[in-house]
Amino acid sequence: MLLQLIAEATECEFKEAVEKKKPRSWLKSVSAFANGIGGTIFFGVADGASVVGLEYVQEAAEYISEAIKTRIAPLPNVVLTADRENGKDFLALIVKPGGSVPCYYSADGIRQAYIRMGNESIPAPEYILHELILRGTNQTYDAVSTSFKKEEYSFTLLEATYLQRTRLKFEPMDYLSFGLMTEEGYLTRAGSLLTDQHIVYNSRIFCTHWNGLEKGSVFEDAVDDKEYEGNLIYLLQNAGDFIRNNSKVRFAKEATERIDKPDYAERAITEILVNALIHRDYLLMGSEIHIDMFEDRMEISSPGGMFGGVPVQEQRIEQIRSDRRNPVVADLFHRMKYMERRGSGLKKIINETAKLPGYTEDKKPVFYSTPTSFTVILKNVNYALAERNHQENHQENHQENHQENHQEKIWERMILFCETPRSKREIANYLGFKDLRNFTQRYLKPMIDRGKIKMTDPENPRNRNQKYVKRK
């Protein structure tokens, strides 16, 4: 009986006794299960699922019911049943996912909502609490109104992209009907994520191509790094360009044809980036999407775990429901044909990768989530080939090695930009660099040393008004 109940439980916790002196020790799990995907607490059962039994099972059941009524609010949906195994009585408290969330433990001067983290019940972080509050009022993050007046912002990139991908003009009333603004003329959070101006601080992607198989210092071990912020379409386009510029398309000669062998599937990359942008948690302050590229793999991580609560690694990919944290944004991306409504994105990532020449089962994409993040790992299907042919002939590459030419291209753009004197910050911003130290050491100083760029005040190199200009 016990094993059957455990098998049916989404999550479970064991208590040898009903702890009356420290009821919060198990009531916090009632709160956590209600705020998540539900679970079962077994009383009279020790760790390892061995039944030790309860001496006064009826009294224990009455106490559990009363404690929940007086210390948990709003009242969760629970079912308490008594069972017996090998002559020993135990209780199973089934806590179902709550519609009225957040569900708080309220007693002893404490009012705290809990969530599950692994096999523990922990206080809900502020951003998850905000998400629970929205869920409890049948709202989503992206549908909430902001204080930004729509008329004060532009949407050039959105309207141009919509026209290009749908062949339809983005009409003024579409902002209201698509959920990007309210009837009062204020942007929703979805609308604020699609302005030409950067008004949502967390709307960012950090991209790094590492030299090797592990992370190191960006200043010493990064082949290329970029930081992008702003409009979701801008982030999608630039992140995609970064990945394309930092991966290769090799080819193999067959008897009658040449077969292209890209490191990664283009459609899989787009699917991952779209999923990261529309499903991420924008309530997590100071967060951003991270793209880390290594010689053998690419890892893309976005803030916020599975919206349904169950870790992705514990589910069958083909059975995952399409629960969307930001449905307004998702609907717009569907209209622009970036994604489908059916929630088939993860399956498509797997299928598109499997189509690559040289694919083997060990190259299957990996999905992993925690309550605070979602990560996709794409394997480089050409990694073994690259190891065997480390010194590839340049003529055998279908695509130029971007890394080998990256500095030269940056230097060419710098020279053109410095036809008139520019400050260090102006040059760095123009080229897309935020770290002045890294930019100075890798790009500006070499150009000065090569005599291509000169200071306007070389006698005072630390002059705060120092500018740089092309040497004639």
Side-chain angles (χ1 to χ4, degrees):
M1 174 60 73
L2 177 60
L3 292 178
Q4 181 182 345
L5 289 171
I6 293 174
E8 293 173 352
T10 304
E11 290 196 70
C12 60
E13 188 170 296
F14 303 113
K15 295 290 182 182
E16 292 189 27
V18 180
E19 300 175 15
K20 295 182 180 180
K21 292 185 178 180
K22 297 180 179 179
R24 187 157 63 101
S25 65
W26 57 271
L27 283 170
K28 64 183 182 182
S29 293
V30 175
S31 166
F33 287 148
N35 288 328
I37 58 175
T40 303
I41 305 175
F42 295 97
F43 297 93
V45 181
D47 289 339
S50 61
V51 179
V52 297
L54 295 172
E55 188 172 358
Y56 303 106
V57 68
Q58 183 61 37
E59 179 184 320
E62 292 174 357
Y63 175 78
I64 291 170
S65 298
E66 186 62 25
I68 292 173
K69 290 178 183 177
T70 58
R71 297 175 184 242
I72 300 292
L75 193 63
N77 186 359
V78 300
V79 177
L80 182 61
T81 60
D83 284 290
R84 172 171 291 192
E85 190 166 287
N86 298 327
K88 297 176 181 178
D89 295 315
F90 68 93
L91 292 170
L93 177 66
I94 301 171
V95 183
K96 299 183 179 180
S100 299
V101 291
C103 191
Y104 294 92
Y105 170 84
S106 300
D108 311 316
I110 299 171
R111 187 172 186 267
Q112 178 70 61
Y114 290 85
I115 61 166
R116 292 293 281 184
M117 179 77 76
N119 60 356
E120 293 184 296
S121 297
I122 65 169
E126 185 175 0
Y127 74 96
I128 291 183
L129 183 60
H130 288 167
E131 188 174 275
L132 287 169
I133 292 171
L134 287 172
R135 202 172 85 199
T137 55
N138 293 318
Q139 296 185 83
T140 59
Y141 167 86
D142 59 350
V144 174
S145 177
T146 71
S147 59
F148 304 117
K149 293 287 289 185
K150 190 269 176 184
E151 63 188 22
E152 296 176 358
Y153 296 91
S154 61
F155 295 84
T156 307
L157 181 58
L158 169 62
E159 293 178 0
T161 304
Y162 189 83
L163 178 61
Q164 176 192 9
R165 297 186 66 86
T166 68
R167 300 183 183 276
L168 297 172
K169 184 179 179 182
F170 205 102
E171 301 293 344
M173 283 305 297
D174 288 339
Y175 288 96
L176 181 61
S177 60
F178 292 172
L180 303 184
M181 64 176 282
T182 67
E183 292 184 354
E184 293 74 27
Y186 291 94
L187 292 177
T188 62
R189 285 171 171 167
S192 68
L193 287 166
L194 290 156
T195 64
D196 295 329
Q197 297 77 17
H198 179 219
I199 57 178
V200 180
Y201 177 73
N202 288 342
S203 184
R204 305 183 298 175
I205 296 183
F206 289 1
C207 307
T208 311
H209 180 186
W210 299 98
N211 182 20
L213 303 180
E214 301 295 336
K215 293 181 181 180
S217 166
V218 173
F219 304 124
E220 299 174 358
D221 302 309
V223 177
D224 191 10
D225 67 282
K226 292 286 189 299
E227 297 179 12
Y228 304 108
E229 57 185 27
N231 179 298
L232 296 188
I233 299 172
Y234 169 82
L235 295 182
L236 175 62
Q237 294 173 347
N238 281 275
D241 288 343
F242 181 90
I243 292 173
R244 280 186 287 273
N245 291 336
N246 284 279
S247 55
K248 297 179 181 179
V249 179
R250 311 163 203 273
F251 72 87
K253 295 179 180 177
E254 301 292 336
T256 59
E257 62 180 341
R258 188 182 79 171
I259 299 177
D260 289 343
K261 302 189 64 159
D263 290 345
Y264 305 100
E266 178 82 13
R267 182 58 193 167
I269 291 170
T270 300
E271 199 72 37
I272 294 171
L273 293 176
V274 169
N275 283 346
L277 289 167
I278 68 172
H279 292 308
R280 65 152 294 185
D281 191 341
Y282 290 94
L283 286 168
L284 187 53
M285 296 306 297
S287 64
E288 59 276 325
I289 295 168
H290 282 263
I291 300 175
D292 292 291
M293 300 184 68
F294 306 89
E295 290 183 11
D296 65 336
R297 70 194 187 282
M298 177 195 330
E299 299 180 4
I300 302 179
S301 298
S302 56
M306 290 290 285
F307 188 56
V310 183
V312 66
Q313 61 272 18
E314 297 179 10
Q315 303 184 65
R316 295 179 62 181
I317 297 300
E318 63 273 12
Q319 294 180 349
I320 292 178
R321 299 182 307 170
S322 180
D323 292 327
R324 293 170 174 174
R325 181 176 273 113
N326 301 298
V328 178
V329 176
D331 179 68
L332 180 60
F333 271 62
H334 166 73
R335 292 175 185 273
M336 292 189 291
K337 300 179 175 61
Y338 281 120
M339 61 174 291
E340 298 178 2
R341 292 184 190 272
R342 296 176 296 183
S344 58
L346 301 188
K347 187 176 180 180
K348 180 172 288 186
I349 292 166
I350 294 173
N351 292 341
E352 293 297 321
T353 301
K355 295 176 184 177
L356 291 173
Y359 172 83
T360 52
E361 192 64 21
D362 63 310
K363 303 297 185 183
K364 185 176 182 178
V366 176
F367 306 100
Y368 180 80
S369 69
T370 70
T372 58
S373 68
F374 187 97
T375 300
V376 182
I377 302 175
L378 283 185
K379 312 288 184 65
N380 182 346
V381 298
N382 292 321
Y383 176 60
L385 176 66
E387 285 292 283
R388 292 194 300 268
N389 302 282
H390 190 65
Q391 301 297 327
E392 290 179 328
N393 188 311
H394 178 68
Q395 285 74 21
E396 292 184 346
N397 284 325
H398 177 65
Q399 177 177 305
E400 283 191 352
N401 185 337
H402 177 79
Q403 296 92 305
E404 295 175 352
N405 296 283
H406 183 68
Q407 283 188 322
E408 289 294 336
K409 291 178 181 178
I410 292 293
W411 287 335
E412 290 173 6
R413 293 176 61 199
M414 188 188 306
I415 291 173
L416 291 174
F417 187 65
C418 291
E419 288 286 350
T420 58
R422 311 279 188 176
S423 70
K424 184 187 298 186
R425 173 59 70 184
E426 287 177 327
I427 303 172
N429 286 345
Y430 172 74
L431 297 174
F433 293 93
K434 294 188 179 298
D435 190 318
L436 279 180
R437 178 185 172 191
N438 182 34
F439 165 72
T440 302
Q441 293 299 318
R442 291 180 59 187
Y443 298 99
L444 183 57
K445 188 175 183 300
M447 290 300 281
I448 295 173
D449 294 341
R450 291 169 62 180
K452 301 293 186 181
I453 299 289
K454 67 178 181 178
M455 300 181 186
T456 54
D457 186 8
E459 300 299 322
N460 300 290
R462 296 185 179 275
N463 183 351
R464 62 185 299 177
N465 296 317
Q466 185 71 259
K467 293 193 175 183
Y468 302 85
V469 66
K470 174 183 175 183
R471 187 179 292 274
K472 304 298 184 181

